């Protein structure tokens, strides 16, 4: 009986770290992501910064129903990029529920962001008006750029 208890204790000690880590809350990735998209008459410029404490700063100005010559669209893209850069310092961190892949508002159901651990790519889901989610793919960056539409 003593030997059985010893083997049981040894087995429990061996699997306890896996059990505890499976029960622990996933930690959001720390870093910065940015990107811009132009699709279906909608322009979006976006930045996300996930802080070490789990707070998330996010900003994604958009313009909808964009039509016109290419020069006009380029001016609108420049305006979005400028608004993003100018107002970024005023963005306050907020908390999200994170399951290891999906970020949701606390207690919420709708995905707000999706993180791909393999590529470190973040997809921001924007809900503009009554439309379904509008995904904006963001790339990881060491520091933010003046133009989030540019590759980098």
């Amino acid at each position: 009986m003593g030997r059985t208890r010893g083997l049981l204790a040894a087995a429990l000690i061996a699997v306890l770290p896996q059990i505890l880590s499976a029960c622990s809350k996933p930690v959001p990735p720390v870093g910065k992501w940015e990107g811009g998209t132009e699709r279906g008459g909608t322009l979006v410029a976006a930045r996300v910064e996930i802080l070490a404490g789990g707070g998330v700063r996010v900003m994604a100005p958009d313009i909808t129903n964009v039509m016109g010559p290419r020069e006009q669209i380029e001016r609108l893209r420049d305006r979005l990029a400028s608004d993003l850069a100018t107002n970024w310092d005023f963005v306050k961190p907020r908390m999200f529920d994170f399951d290891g892949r999906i970020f949701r508002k606390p207690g919420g159901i709708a995905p707000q962001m999706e993180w791909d651990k393999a590529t470190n790519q973040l997809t921001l889901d924007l809900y503009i008006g009554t439309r379904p989610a509008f995904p904006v793919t963001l790339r990881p960056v060491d520091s933010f750029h003046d133009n989030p539409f540019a590759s980098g």
Side-chain angles (χ1 to χ4, degrees), residues 86-145:
T86 301
N87 294 301
W88 180 249
D89 289 338
F90 302 104
V91 176
K92 303 280 187 238
R94 31 187 180 161
M95 300 306 288
F96 287 86
D97 290 337
F98 178 65
D99 67 8
R101 186 175 68 90
I102 304 290
F103 291 82
R104 291 181 172 84
K105 290 180 181 178
I109 297 170
Q112 303 297 306
M113 295 181 287
E114 182 176 341
W115 178 57
D116 183 336
K117 184 177 182 177
T119 62
N120 196 25
Q121 181 176 291
L122 193 67
T123 301
L124 180 62
D125 287 323
L126 296 180
Y127 297 90
I128 303 170
T130 59
R131 295 197 240 169
F134 186 87
V136 180
T137 303
L138 307 177
R139 65 190 174 283
V141 294
D142 293 329
S143 59
F144 294 119
H145 300 90

Side-chain angles (χ1 to χ4, degrees), residues 21-87:
S21 69
C23 296
S24 67
K25 192 174 175 183
V27 177
V30 174
K32 297 176 181 181
W33 291 262
E34 71 179 12
T37 192
E38 176 183 330
R39 191 171 65 250
T42 299
L43 294 174
V44 177
R47 283 184 180 175
V48 172
E49 180 177 23
I50 302 174
L51 307 169
V56 179
R57 296 173 67 204
V58 59
M59 184 175 176
D62 66 87
I63 301 173
T64 58
N65 301 317
V66 175
M67 292 182 275
R70 189 73 220 161
E71 305 88 40
Q72 179 182 349
I73 293 170
E74 289 300 323
R75 283 194 302 276
L76 292 172
R77 285 170 54 133
D78 290 344
R79 187 178 96 197
L80 284 177
S82 176
D83 289 349
L84 186 62
T86 301
N87 294 301

